[in-house]
Amino acid sequence: MTMNNHTDASVIEAIALRKSYGTHDVLKGLDLSLTRGEVVALIGPSGSGKSTFIRCLNMLEIPTEGTIRFRQKKVGDRFRDNGEEIGIGTLRRHVGMVFQHFNLFPHKTVLQNVTEGPIIVCKTSKREAEERAMDLLAQVGLAEKHAAYPNHLSGGQKQRVAIARALAMQPEVLLLDEVTSALDPELVGEVLAVIRRLAEEGMTMAIVTHEMAFAADVANRVLFLDQGVIAEAGSANDVILNPQNPRLQAFVARFRG
Ligand SMILES: Nc1ncnc2c1ncn2[C@@H]1O[C@H](COP(=O)(O)OP(=O)(O)OP(=O)(O)O)[C@@H](O)[C@H]1O
Ligand SMILES: [Mg+2]
């Protein structure tokens, strides 16, 4: 844990964020501020802009308008830091992301997948990177798989490696985009358990998920994205358990099964 006195200050923020592809306005002015240790769940119909939004948060997509702020500083459009502005490189180094499809390097072992970022990007020594990686693999229950290659792992195991790989960079914020939706149902629980523990340990996270029960359980705040805007925001109790907006009611009913 980093020492920080501004515990209620925003770690990452989106302000009046807009993203268009040609004439298609996907995000139509979104605001979000994540404070340290906060867990926000993003729910919403397919195509509502959830992935676009979290990809904008770490500048994998460059917003058409609006601002991303990290540690209360504007993120610029250059890779390097520049006076008052944080560079995209710095932002990405501190904001980890895990996707629906694991994106592990197939020709590297589990251990090499987890140590690659720290060694290449952070210039951590191989020994230290490996020690930390073994710790993280133990935390996600995969220490004994460190020498295996990704194609010898189950989907749930691969996704837990992907989470360990993101954590190896010691991110301040973790962005998770439907990390369980490509998994067989019996493998979902083991991945959600890892995320739940991260939440309990105080990791700041934005989680896109269709797992309503999980979102209700783990999130401090739930946002309902609909047609490119945040149509509802509030506690899980308000948004998922007692939705008022009819489109949200219909959405939640569909996923509660
Ligand atoms: N690179 C792109 N070029 C053009 N249109 C795009 C691009 N990426 C996304 N879109 C469009 O933006 C809209 C929002 O997509 P996005 O992937 O953010 O939705 P989502 O809420 O994550 O949906 P899902 O639940 O299916 O993952 C969609 O209509 C999509 O077709
Ligand atoms: Mg998506």
Side-chain angles (χ1 to χ4, degrees):
M1 282 280 102
T2 47
M3 295 299 288
N4 191 320
N5 296 323
H6 307 280
T7 48
D8 55 358
S10 135
V11 185
I12 192 164
E13 260 175 297
I15 302 163
L17 195 74
R18 290 179 170 269
K19 178 70 186 178
S20 305
Y21 294 106
T23 56
H24 183 189
D25 299 329
V26 175
L27 303 179
K28 303 174 187 166
L30 272 66
D31 295 282
L32 174 67
S33 168
L34 277 180
T35 57
R36 198 168 298 281
E38 193 177 24
V39 178
V40 168
L42 301 171
I43 62 172
S46 181
S48 59
K50 303 177 300 294
S51 295
T52 305
F53 182 43
I54 67 164
R55 289 167 62 83
C56 282
L57 280 179
N58 74 346
M59 291 281 199
L60 283 174
E61 297 287 348
I62 303 300
T64 309
E65 278 179 47
T67 306
I68 302 295
R69 285 162 61 88
F70 178 66
R71 298 171 172 162
Q72 289 135 61
K73 269 190 163 181
K74 181 177 173 14
V75 179
D77 55 7
R78 298 179 188 209
F79 197 75
R80 291 179 180 284
D81 295 354
N82 152 30
E84 282 307 290
E85 289 185 351
I86 300 243
I88 292 173
T90 304
L91 176 77
R92 292 208 190 127
R93 174 122 58 92
H94 297 287
V95 179
M97 184 147 182
V98 184
F99 303 92
Q100 177 174 5
H101 296 287
F102 331 103
N103 310 102
L104 297 176
F105 304 115
H107 56 290
K108 290 183 189 288
T109 65
V110 163
L111 185 66
Q112 287 165 345
N113 265 279
V114 178
T115 56
E116 163 109 7
I119 292 172
I120 306 283
V121 180
C122 304
K123 315 288 182 220
T124 308
S125 73
K126 184 161 182 258
R127 214 191 107 175
E128 191 189 332
E130 286 183 347
E131 266 177 31
R132 197 137 44 85
M134 287 306 295
D135 251 18
L136 288 168
L137 288 172
Q139 284 174 37
V140 300
L142 288 173
E144 79 284 5
K145 295 286 188 189
H146 70 274
Y149 284 87
N151 62 356
H152 292 165
L153 302 180
S154 73
Q157 290 171 336
K158 283 185 218 175
Q159 201 55 294
R160 285 184 282 146
V161 175
I163 292 171
R165 185 176 59 175
L167 293 173
M169 297 295 287
Q170 301 182 298
E172 288 186 41
V173 181
L174 203 51
L175 307 174
L176 305 173
D177 191 358
E178 297 204 44
V179 297
T180 60
S181 54
L183 300 179
D184 292 336
E186 70 272 20
L187 301 178
V188 168
E190 66 192 49
V191 175
L192 295 184
V194 167
I195 300 168
R196 184 175 287 122
R197 218 190 38 244
L198 288 173
E200 286 163 7
E201 288 168 358
M203 176 61 75
T204 310
M205 292 189 278
I207 305 176
V208 175
T209 183
H210 283 125
E211 303 281 339
M212 292 301 132
F214 173 69
D217 178 38
V218 82
N220 306 112
R221 199 148 45 107
V222 180
L223 308 183
F224 175 56
L225 258 70
D226 192 24
Q227 300 172 327
V229 299
I230 296 174
E232 292 285 327
S235 67
N237 191 47
D238 291 343
V239 175
I240 295 179
L241 303 176
N242 300 293
Q244 300 300 315
N245 167 336
R247 286 179 61 88
L248 175 57
Q249 279 173 349
F251 175 80
V252 168
R254 197 146 39 95
F255 281 96
R256 263 209 297 239

